[in-house]
Amino acid sequence: MRDITLEWERSVKQIPFRYFYSHSGLRDDECEIILSWLENEAPWKRVTTYFYEQYEFHLQDANLKDDLKFLIEDDFISNLRKYIETYFPSFALSSKVDVVAHKLIDGDTIGIHNDYIEDCETHRILFNFNRGWTEDNGGFFMVFSENNPEALTDLILAQHGHVHGFEISPYSHHAVSKVNQGDRYNIIYSFYKRTS
């Protein structure tokens, strides 16, 4: 498996918390195959919490086509883990990983939160699959310096074939702005600290 993380290092930011945004390194044809499957065959379920409503499912539980199985294979995930340990060097990561797909539709939004739960996930990497996505579609990944809408520091467009990720902490405040039109797809990898 090729190292798709080679160019990611150039986009790491440190403030207000460590995060990055880059082209994913996946080929165009791979992105199209993934997006087509998410649009037409994926087993979506609507989920509602106090700060978001969206569709989602776990890839490890899905019946993946052969040309999508690399998304949950050890080589691909080990590459992602190595990237985090190299450029977000806080601690070593365990072999545990959750791989979840998200879909937001017109009107969906995700409120400000930090994803922090003690002794739980420590890092997230999100792949975007949104053909022709522009600013008019909305659904920006929003970075905040504190839990306050006025503390916005960065906007990241959910551009097709791109990836972003961040270190989870009490300070990793982020949100997703309202989707104005279209369906917004992510595949999200959540990593955990090694405990022994």
Side-chain angles (χ1 to χ4, degrees), residues 40-59:
N40 299 301
E41 301 176 52
W44 296 108
K45 294 182 180 178
R46 191 73 170 169
V47 175
T48 301
T49 74
Y50 72 95
F51 68 95
Y52 72 81
E53 188 172 356
Q54 66 185 14
Y55 292 91
E56 60 185 57
F57 68 93
H58 288 264
L59 264 73

Side-chain angles (χ1 to χ4, degrees), residues 14-19 51 109-114 140-156 166-167 169-178:
Q14 304 290 330
I15 298 173
F17 52 87
R18 280 187 283 198
Y19 68 100
F51 68 95
T109 185
I110 299 178
I112 300 175
H113 63 291
N114 59 23
F140 288 92
F141 182 82
M142 308 169 75
V143 176
F144 298 87
S145 60
E146 57 185 75
N147 188 12
N148 182 336
E150 296 180 0
L152 178 67
T153 65
D154 202 358
L155 289 172
I156 295 174
F166 58 95
E167 181 179 74
S169 77
Y171 312 104
S172 56
H173 302 293
H174 60 281
V176 176
S177 68
K178 185 176 77 170

Side-chain angles (χ1 to χ4, degrees), residues 44 46 52-55 102-110 130 133 139 176-179 181-186:
W44 296 108
R46 191 73 170 169
Y52 72 81
E53 188 172 356
Q54 66 185 14
Y55 292 91
H102 287 179
K103 176 173 76 168
L104 279 69
I105 63 174
D106 292 11
D108 283 350
T109 185
I110 299 178
N130 306 297
W133 202 262
V176 176
S177 68
K178 185 176 77 170
V179 174
Q181 57 187 13
D183 296 337
R184 180 188 188 274
Y185 297 96
N186 292 117

Side-chain angles (χ1 to χ4, degrees), residues 67-84:
D67 49 7
L68 298 179
K69 288 181 179 176
F70 78 91
L71 292 168
I72 58 171
E73 289 176 347
D74 289 343
D75 285 348
F76 187 79
I77 292 172
S78 292
N79 240 347
L80 304 183
R81 187 181 296 108
K82 179 183 175 183
Y83 171 79
I84 292 171

